[in-house]
Amino acid sequence: MGSARILAVDDERDTCEALADMLSAWGHKVEIAFDGHDALRKANEFRPDVVLSDLAMPETDGLWLLRNLKEELPDCPVVFLTGRGTIDAAVESIREGAYDFIVKPLDTARLKVCIDRALEKKETMREVQTLRRRLKQLGSSDLIAQSVGMRKVIELVEKVAPSKASVSISGESGTGKEVVSRAVHNLSLRRDKPFIAINCASIPATLIESELFGHERGAFTGADQRRPGVFEMAHGGTLFLDELGEIPIELQAKLLRVLEEGKLRRLGGKVEIEVDVRVLCATNRDLKQEIKNGRFREDLYFRLNVFQIHLPPLRERRDDVPILVQHFVDKFRGDSGKRVSGVHPEAMEVLKNYDWPGNIRELRNAVERAVILCDGELITREHLPPDMAGKSPERHTFRLPFGLSLDAVEREYILGSLQRNGNNKARTAEVLGVSEKTLYNKLNRYAAEARAQQAPGGGGGPLGGQGSDGAMGAVGTNSFVIR
């Protein structure tokens, strides 16, 4: 990651200044504080990207600082430095919202990784907040768009909604044709009246006349009572006929008469009923070709095709993917009770570059699946459908600083994989291609190494030992596991 603003907090001045010198040498802008009150005041002035604080301090300890920072800077990640005697307090800090904790003596390579991950998370959460603000500006409607193509669609919807004109909505399956039809209804003078939607393709040909126009008792076998059709149910409001091209040719003349005269007769009925219905329709078929083939009436086509709205496929409106994803994350988080708040940048790139043959319907299903699988705060690539993740133009990457030994690289990779998989060890072992027993053995070894590093004489200088094979890996293990 690039340069960041870091607030270093420690009641021991020599340690705090040494930490600040090291962070400055890494290219960060650093402020220092020597107690909780001083840190809180400087945090409000300095607006740090990350707070790196000692946990055990007199009067106002790290937990006090964390609780107050959550009120003032809720999106600022806090990383604690802790000794062996305050591990329980460090665990409590994670439960209260700290990003991570690191056991002294410090391993500088591990500290770099921890800061980079904290900054990455902060950037992701900033993007989440931006998307949520945009969603709020768009209002409560499900017609969510910021791409040029969809903004034109919204303009057409706003223009045609107040009129009485029939609207034909075209587009691939899953592009949101019913959502657009509801938006037309909700912006019209009929908004307080019924909105009825039916899919003509899902109704057997023998029943579609009854579904549209209703029937009287005894009109056919099984008709044991009078039943109104969707035209009567939508009286005064709007009727959306999806897959219009599936209506049998012999029924189209009756539909045309109802549209032109505003009157219908139930199947088996003798009395005409007046209906006031605005009809919106959609189809995946080429109706002009259907007319040439004799399967669709030309006069009905012109009667329904007064105003046209075409919905572009999702692959042509990729700018809308992030805001749609966030909309679905917020929706399914509330439905499932999960704490998922957003999507990792790498996973978002996969979503933005996928072709989406199923359009928004497929996107909705993919996000719902990911929310179910995700146990952490961010959806990662591993939570996406396997065929989708496999089509990402970029391979999965894992960044590490130079100077690590091979053992340390393996440790960081294992800990990073564990974090990306929401601390699910079974899934992590599967991703790494090892058995769960092997993974547990490695995690236990890291914990043993940490205990050895914490023994007296384990480090020197204000910051303790700074080799790449210190206790940092085991600290990460503990913090990931307890989450």
Coordinates of all heavy atoms in Angstrom, one line a residue, residues 263-308:
K263 N -63.7 -3.2 -22.4 CA -64.7 -4.1 -21.9 C -64.3 -5.5 -22.2 O -63.6 -5.9 -23.1 CB -66.0 -3.8 -22.7 CG -66.7 -2.5 -22.5 CD -67.9 -2.3 -23.3 CE -68.5 -0.9 -23.1 NZ -69.7 -0.7 -23.9
L264 N -64.8 -6.4 -21.3 CA -64.5 -7.8 -21.4 C -65.7 -8.7 -21.0 O -66.6 -8.2 -20.3 CB -63.2 -8.2 -20.6 CG -63.3 -8.1 -19.1 CD1 -63.9 -9.3 -18.4 CD2 -61.8 -7.9 -18.5
R265 N -65.7 -9.9 -21.4 CA -66.7 -10.9 -21.0 C -66.0 -12.1 -20.5 O -65.1 -12.7 -21.1 CB -67.5 -11.2 -22.2 CG -68.7 -12.2 -21.9 CD -69.6 -12.4 -23.1 NE -70.2 -11.1 -23.5 CZ -70.8 -11.0 -24.7 NH1 -70.9 -12.1 -25.5 NH2 -71.3 -9.9 -25.1
R266 N -66.3 -12.5 -19.2 CA -65.7 -13.6 -18.6 C -66.0 -14.9 -19.5 O -67.0 -15.0 -20.1 CB -66.2 -13.9 -17.2 CG -65.8 -12.8 -16.2 CD -66.1 -13.2 -14.8 NE -66.1 -12.1 -13.9 CZ -67.1 -11.6 -13.2 NH1 -68.3 -12.1 -13.5 NH2 -66.9 -10.6 -12.4
L267 N -65.1 -15.9 -19.4 CA -65.3 -17.1 -20.1 C -66.6 -17.8 -19.5 O -66.7 -18.0 -18.3 CB -64.1 -18.0 -19.8 CG -64.0 -19.3 -20.6 CD1 -63.9 -19.0 -22.1 CD2 -62.8 -20.2 -20.2
G268 N -67.5 -18.0 -20.4 CA -68.8 -18.6 -20.0 C -69.8 -17.5 -19.6 O -70.9 -17.9 -19.2
G269 N -69.4 -16.3 -19.6 CA -70.3 -15.2 -19.2 C -71.1 -14.6 -20.3 O -70.8 -14.7 -21.5
K270 N -72.2 -13.8 -19.9 CA -73.0 -13.2 -20.9 C -73.0 -11.7 -20.7 O -73.6 -11.0 -21.6 CB -74.5 -13.7 -20.7 CG -74.6 -15.2 -20.9 CD -76.1 -15.6 -20.7 CE -76.2 -17.2 -20.9 NZ -77.6 -17.6 -20.7
V271 N -72.4 -11.2 -19.6 CA -72.5 -9.7 -19.3 C -71.1 -9.1 -19.6 O -70.1 -9.7 -19.2 CB -72.9 -9.5 -17.9 CG1 -72.9 -8.0 -17.6 CG2 -74.3 -10.1 -17.6
E272 N -71.0 -8.0 -20.2 CA -69.8 -7.3 -20.5 C -69.4 -6.5 -19.2 O -70.3 -5.8 -18.6 CB -69.8 -6.4 -21.7 CG -69.8 -7.2 -23.0 CD -69.5 -6.3 -24.2 OE1 -69.9 -5.1 -24.1 OE2 -68.9 -6.8 -25.2
I273 N -68.2 -6.5 -18.9 CA -67.7 -5.8 -17.7 C -66.7 -4.7 -18.2 O -65.8 -5.0 -19.0 CB -67.0 -6.7 -16.7 CG1 -67.9 -7.8 -16.3 CG2 -66.4 -6.0 -15.5 CD1 -67.3 -9.0 -15.6
E274 N -66.9 -3.5 -17.7 CA -66.0 -2.4 -18.1 C -64.7 -2.5 -17.2 O -64.8 -2.6 -16.0 CB -66.6 -1.0 -17.9 CG -67.7 -0.8 -18.9 CD -68.2 0.6 -18.9 OE1 -67.7 1.4 -18.1 OE2 -69.1 1.0 -19.7
V275 N -63.6 -2.3 -17.8 CA -62.3 -2.3 -17.1 C -61.4 -1.1 -17.5 O -61.4 -0.8 -18.7 CB -61.5 -3.6 -17.3 CG1 -62.2 -4.7 -16.5 CG2 -61.3 -3.9 -18.7
D276 N -60.8 -0.5 -16.6 CA -59.8 0.6 -16.9 C -58.4 0.1 -16.5 O -58.1 0.2 -15.3 CB -60.3 1.9 -16.1 CG -59.2 3.0 -16.3 OD1 -58.5 3.0 -17.2 OD2 -59.2 3.9 -15.4
V277 N -57.7 -0.3 -17.4 CA -56.4 -0.9 -17.1 C -55.3 -0.3 -18.1 O -55.6 -0.3 -19.3 CB -56.4 -2.4 -17.3 CG1 -55.0 -3.0 -17.0 CG2 -57.4 -3.0 -16.3
R278 N -54.2 0.0 -17.6 CA -53.0 0.4 -18.4 C -52.2 -0.9 -18.6 O -51.8 -1.5 -17.6 CB -52.2 1.5 -17.8 CG -51.0 1.9 -18.7 CD -50.2 2.9 -18.0 NE -49.2 3.5 -18.9 CZ -48.3 4.5 -18.5 NH1 -48.3 4.9 -17.3 NH2 -47.5 5.0 -19.4
V279 N -51.9 -1.2 -19.8 CA -51.2 -2.5 -20.1 C -49.7 -2.2 -20.4 O -49.4 -1.4 -21.3 CB -51.8 -3.3 -21.2 CG1 -51.0 -4.5 -21.5 CG2 -53.2 -3.7 -20.8
L280 N -48.8 -2.8 -19.7 CA -47.4 -2.8 -20.1 C -47.0 -4.2 -20.5 O -47.6 -5.2 -19.9 CB -46.5 -2.4 -18.9 CG -47.0 -1.1 -18.1 CD1 -46.1 -0.8 -16.9 CD2 -47.0 0.1 -19.1
C281 N -46.1 -4.4 -21.4 CA -45.8 -5.7 -21.8 C -44.3 -5.9 -22.1 O -43.6 -4.9 -22.2 CB -46.6 -6.1 -23.1 SG -46.1 -5.1 -24.5
A282 N -43.9 -7.2 -22.1 CA -42.5 -7.5 -22.4 C -42.4 -8.8 -23.1 O -43.3 -9.7 -22.9 CB -41.6 -7.5 -21.1
T283 N -41.4 -9.0 -23.9 CA -41.2 -10.3 -24.6 C -39.7 -10.4 -25.0 O -39.1 -9.4 -25.2 CB -42.1 -10.4 -25.8 OG1 -41.9 -11.7 -26.4 CG2 -41.8 -9.3 -26.8
N284 N -39.3 -11.7 -25.0 CA -37.9 -12.0 -25.5 C -38.0 -12.3 -27.0 O -36.9 -12.4 -27.7 CB -37.3 -13.1 -24.8 CG -36.9 -12.8 -23.3 OD1 -36.4 -11.7 -23.1 ND2 -37.1 -13.7 -22.4
R285 N -39.2 -12.5 -27.5 CA -39.3 -12.8 -29.0 C -39.2 -11.6 -29.8 O -39.5 -10.5 -29.4 CB -40.6 -13.5 -29.2 CG -40.8 -14.9 -28.6 CD -42.0 -15.6 -29.1 NE -42.1 -16.9 -28.6 CZ -43.0 -17.8 -29.1 NH1 -43.7 -17.5 -30.1 NH2 -43.1 -19.0 -28.5
D286 N -38.8 -11.8 -31.1 CA -38.9 -10.7 -32.1 C -40.3 -10.7 -32.7 O -40.6 -11.5 -33.5 CB -37.8 -11.0 -33.2 CG -37.8 -10.0 -34.2 OD1 -38.7 -9.1 -34.3 OD2 -36.8 -10.0 -35.1
L287 N -41.1 -9.8 -32.2 CA -42.5 -9.8 -32.6 C -42.7 -9.5 -34.1 O -43.7 -10.0 -34.7 CB -43.3 -8.8 -31.7 CG -43.5 -9.2 -30.2 CD1 -44.4 -8.2 -29.5 CD2 -44.0 -10.6 -30.1
K288 N -41.8 -8.7 -34.6 CA -41.9 -8.4 -36.1 C -41.7 -9.7 -36.9 O -42.4 -9.9 -37.9 CB -40.9 -7.4 -36.5 CG -41.2 -6.0 -36.0 CD -40.2 -4.9 -36.5 CE -40.6 -3.5 -36.0 NZ -39.7 -2.5 -36.5
Q289 N -40.8 -10.5 -36.4 CA -40.6 -11.8 -37.1 C -41.8 -12.7 -36.9 O -42.2 -13.5 -37.7 CB -39.3 -12.5 -36.6 CG -39.0 -13.7 -37.4 CD -38.7 -13.5 -38.9 OE1 -38.1 -12.6 -39.2 NE2 -39.3 -14.4 -39.7
E290 N -42.4 -12.6 -35.6 CA -43.5 -13.5 -35.3 C -44.7 -13.1 -36.2 O -45.5 -13.9 -36.6 CB -43.9 -13.3 -33.8 CG -42.9 -13.8 -32.9 CD -42.8 -15.4 -32.9 OE1 -43.8 -16.0 -32.4 OE2 -41.8 -15.9 -33.4
I291 N -44.8 -11.8 -36.5 CA -45.9 -11.3 -37.4 C -45.7 -11.9 -38.8 O -46.7 -12.3 -39.4 CB -45.9 -9.7 -37.4 CG1 -46.4 -9.2 -36.1 CG2 -46.9 -9.2 -38.5 CD1 -46.2 -7.7 -36.0
K292 N -44.5 -11.9 -39.3 CA -44.2 -12.4 -40.6 C -44.5 -13.9 -40.6 O -45.0 -14.5 -41.7 CB -42.8 -12.2 -41.0 CG -42.4 -10.8 -41.2 CD -40.9 -10.6 -41.6 CE -40.5 -9.2 -41.8 NZ -39.1 -9.0 -42.1
N293 N -44.3 -14.6 -39.5 CA -44.6 -16.0 -39.4 C -46.0 -16.4 -39.1 O -46.4 -17.6 -39.0 CB -43.7 -16.7 -38.4 CG -42.2 -16.6 -38.7 OD1 -41.8 -16.5 -39.9 ND2 -41.3 -16.6 -37.7
G294 N -46.8 -15.3 -39.0 CA -48.3 -15.5 -38.7 C -48.6 -16.0 -37.3 O -49.7 -16.5 -37.1
R295 N -47.7 -15.7 -36.4 CA -48.0 -16.1 -35.0 C -48.3 -14.9 -34.1 O -48.6 -15.2 -32.9 CB -46.7 -16.9 -34.4 CG -46.5 -18.2 -35.0 CD -45.5 -19.0 -34.2 NE -44.2 -18.5 -34.3 CZ -43.2 -18.9 -35.2 NH1 -43.5 -19.9 -36.0 NH2 -42.0 -18.3 -35.2
F296 N -48.3 -13.7 -34.6 CA -48.7 -12.6 -33.8 C -49.4 -11.6 -34.7 O -49.0 -11.3 -35.8 CB -47.5 -12.0 -33.2 CG -47.8 -11.1 -32.0 CD1 -47.9 -11.7 -30.7 CD2 -48.0 -9.7 -32.1 CE1 -48.2 -10.9 -29.6 CE2 -48.3 -9.0 -31.0 CZ -48.4 -9.6 -29.7
R297 N -50.5 -11.0 -34.1 CA -51.3 -10.1 -34.9 C -50.6 -8.7 -35.0 O -50.1 -8.2 -34.0 CB -52.7 -9.9 -34.2 CG -53.6 -11.1 -34.3 CD -54.9 -10.8 -33.5 NE -55.6 -9.7 -34.2 CZ -56.7 -9.9 -35.0 NH1 -57.1 -11.1 -35.2 NH2 -57.3 -8.9 -35.5
E298 N -50.6 -8.2 -36.2 CA -49.9 -6.9 -36.4 C -50.7 -5.8 -35.7 O -50.0 -4.9 -35.1 CB -49.8 -6.6 -37.9 CG -49.0 -5.4 -38.2 CD -48.8 -5.2 -39.7 OE1 -49.7 -5.6 -40.5 OE2 -47.7 -4.7 -40.1
D299 N -52.0 -5.8 -35.7 CA -52.8 -4.7 -35.1 C -52.6 -4.7 -33.6 O -52.5 -3.7 -32.9 CB -54.3 -4.8 -35.5 CG -54.8 -6.2 -35.3 OD1 -54.1 -7.1 -34.8 OD2 -56.0 -6.4 -35.6
L300 N -52.4 -5.9 -33.0 CA -52.2 -6.0 -31.5 C -50.8 -5.4 -31.2 O -50.6 -4.7 -30.2 CB -52.3 -7.4 -31.0 CG -52.0 -7.7 -29.6 CD1 -53.0 -6.8 -28.7 CD2 -52.1 -9.1 -29.2
Y301 N -49.8 -5.8 -32.1 CA -48.5 -5.2 -32.0 C -48.4 -3.7 -31.9 O -47.8 -3.1 -31.0 CB -47.6 -5.8 -33.1 CG -46.2 -5.1 -33.1 CD1 -45.2 -5.6 -32.3 CD2 -45.9 -4.1 -34.0 CE1 -43.9 -5.0 -32.4 CE2 -44.7 -3.5 -34.1 CZ -43.7 -4.0 -33.3 OH -42.4 -3.4 -33.3
F302 N -49.1 -3.1 -32.9 CA -49.1 -1.6 -32.9 C -49.9 -1.0 -31.7 O -49.6 0.1 -31.2 CB -49.6 -1.1 -34.2 CG -48.7 -1.3 -35.4 CD1 -49.0 -2.1 -36.4 CD2 -47.4 -0.7 -35.4 CE1 -48.2 -2.3 -37.5 CE2 -46.6 -0.9 -36.4 CZ -46.9 -1.7 -37.5
R303 N -50.9 -1.8 -31.2 CA -51.7 -1.3 -30.1 C -50.9 -1.3 -28.8 O -51.0 -0.3 -28.0 CB -52.9 -2.2 -29.9 CG -53.9 -1.7 -28.8 CD -54.5 -0.3 -29.1 NE -55.3 0.1 -28.0 CZ -54.9 0.6 -26.8 NH1 -53.6 0.7 -26.6 NH2 -55.7 1.0 -25.9
L304 N -50.0 -2.2 -28.7 CA -49.2 -2.4 -27.4 C -47.9 -1.7 -27.5 O -47.2 -1.4 -26.5 CB -49.0 -3.8 -27.1 CG -50.3 -4.6 -26.6 CD1 -50.0 -6.1 -26.5 CD2 -50.7 -4.0 -25.3
N305 N -47.4 -1.4 -28.7 CA -46.0 -0.9 -28.9 C -46.1 0.6 -29.1 O -45.3 1.1 -29.9 CB -45.4 -1.6 -30.1 CG -43.9 -1.6 -30.0 OD1 -43.3 -1.9 -29.0 ND2 -43.2 -1.4 -31.1
V306 N -46.9 1.3 -28.4 CA -47.0 2.8 -28.5 C -45.7 3.4 -28.1 O -45.2 4.4 -28.7 CB -48.2 3.3 -27.6 CG1 -48.2 4.8 -27.7 CG2 -49.5 2.7 -28.1
F307 N -45.1 2.9 -27.0 CA -43.9 3.5 -26.4 C -42.9 2.3 -26.1 O -43.3 1.4 -25.5 CB -44.2 4.3 -25.2 CG -43.1 5.2 -24.7 CD1 -43.0 6.5 -25.2 CD2 -42.1 4.8 -23.9 CE1 -42.0 7.4 -24.8 CE2 -41.0 5.6 -23.5 CZ -41.0 6.9 -23.9
Q308 N -41.7 2.4 -26.6 CA -40.7 1.4 -26.4 C -39.6 1.7 -25.4 O -39.1 2.9 -25.4 CB -40.1 0.9 -27.7 CG -41.1 0.5 -28.8 CD -41.5 1.8 -29.6 OE1 -40.8 2.7 -29.8 NE2 -42.8 1.7 -30.0

